[in-house]
Amino acid sequence: MLRVGLTGGIASGKSEVSRRLVELGAVLVDADVIAREVVEPGTEGLEEVAEAFGREVLADDGALDRAALGAIVFADPRRRELLNSIIHPRVRARAAEIAAGAPAGSVVVQDIPLLVETGQAGNFDVVVVVDAPDEVRIRRLEERNGLSEEHARARMAAQASREERLAAADHVVENAGTLEELRAAVDRLWADVLAPAAERSGATGLD
């Protein structure tokens, strides 16, 4: 098994990269999806979030009001750290379960937006960073999410810097161009790096 940590800043195109890797044969462990699962209604995670941030972060139907919670944590780094301390251990535990169930010789890609911020780079055989210039990401956030430049920059500032992510990378997938160019770059990464490494790991019994 080859354990790949995939990360990238907001609006870098990381989701498109993970989608293509799955098409090529990777087993995907998506931290964002798991993060939603661990705070679904009735979970211990949601109850702990409500205790920490108040019942006002719950919608009328008892589900998490993500907009209300986001307004709190993006404005206060200490509150954001508190939220992370509740969510991240649960996400890591579930991710480990999914990875453990992957077939021998698999490329297991863990899509982790905050891989660098949470110090997880050393947990993987390969760290792949999806990168795009800040101005490109701001434009995408404005067009895709309807954010103002100020709000886009605030979201970006809540994550590691571009330089910090690149410093943690074993391989960088550039995404400043077209979707076709991005997919071609992922295909090259798969053919030249990931698939051969996974084959070697399976052949040497390192799963």
Side-chain angles (χ1 to χ4, degrees):
M1 178 188 301
L2 183 73
R3 297 170 178 83
V4 180
L6 175 67
T7 195
I10 188 170
S12 64
K14 179 173 54 59
S15 296
E16 191 61 46
V17 170
S18 66
R19 188 176 300 116
R20 181 57 180 162
L21 287 170
V22 169
E23 291 174 355
L24 292 168
V27 175
L28 178 63
V29 181
D30 191 323
D32 275 347
V33 171
I34 299 172
R36 291 183 177 89
E37 292 176 353
V38 300
V39 289
E40 288 180 347
T43 61
E44 292 181 359
L46 181 59
E47 186 58 34
E48 191 169 343
V49 168
E51 289 177 1
F53 294 92
R55 310 305 292 189
E56 61 267 25
V57 300
L58 299 180
D60 292 340
D61 62 358
L64 181 64
D65 185 335
R66 298 183 183 281
L69 181 60
I72 295 171
V73 300
F74 279 114
D76 186 338
R78 289 174 299 179
R79 303 286 275 171
R80 189 162 62 247
E81 289 176 7
L82 173 59
L83 177 64
N84 289 342
S85 73
I86 297 170
I87 302 298
H88 288 168
R90 290 177 166 86
V91 171
R92 290 182 188 180
R94 178 59 183 144
E97 289 178 4
I98 297 171
S106 297
V107 176
V108 177
V109 176
Q110 293 200 32
D111 182 334
I112 306 177
L114 301 181
L115 183 148
V116 173
E117 294 86 337
T118 53
Q120 296 185 67
N123 297 343
F124 298 97
D125 302 311
V126 178
V127 172
V128 175
V129 170
V130 185
D131 182 58
D134 289 351
E135 295 307 316
V136 172
R137 294 165 56 208
I138 289 169
R139 186 180 71 247
R140 289 173 181 164
L141 287 169
E142 290 172 339
E143 295 173 352
R144 184 189 73 187
N145 299 74
L147 297 182
S148 67
E149 180 177 345
E150 179 184 2
H151 285 138
R153 290 189 181 279
R155 292 291 180 95
M156 290 166 57
Q159 298 182 331
S161 69
R162 188 182 177 197
E163 292 73 20
E164 288 170 329
R165 276 190 299 274
L166 292 174
D170 295 306
H171 299 279
V172 177
V173 176
E174 302 286 353
N175 184 28
T178 66
L179 177 59
E180 290 73 20
E181 289 170 336
L182 176 63
R183 290 170 68 88
V186 177
D187 289 357
R188 289 192 297 272
L189 175 69
W190 179 269
D192 297 344
V193 178
L194 302 184
E199 186 175 349
R200 288 194 299 271
S201 72
T204 55
L206 297 179
D207 289 320

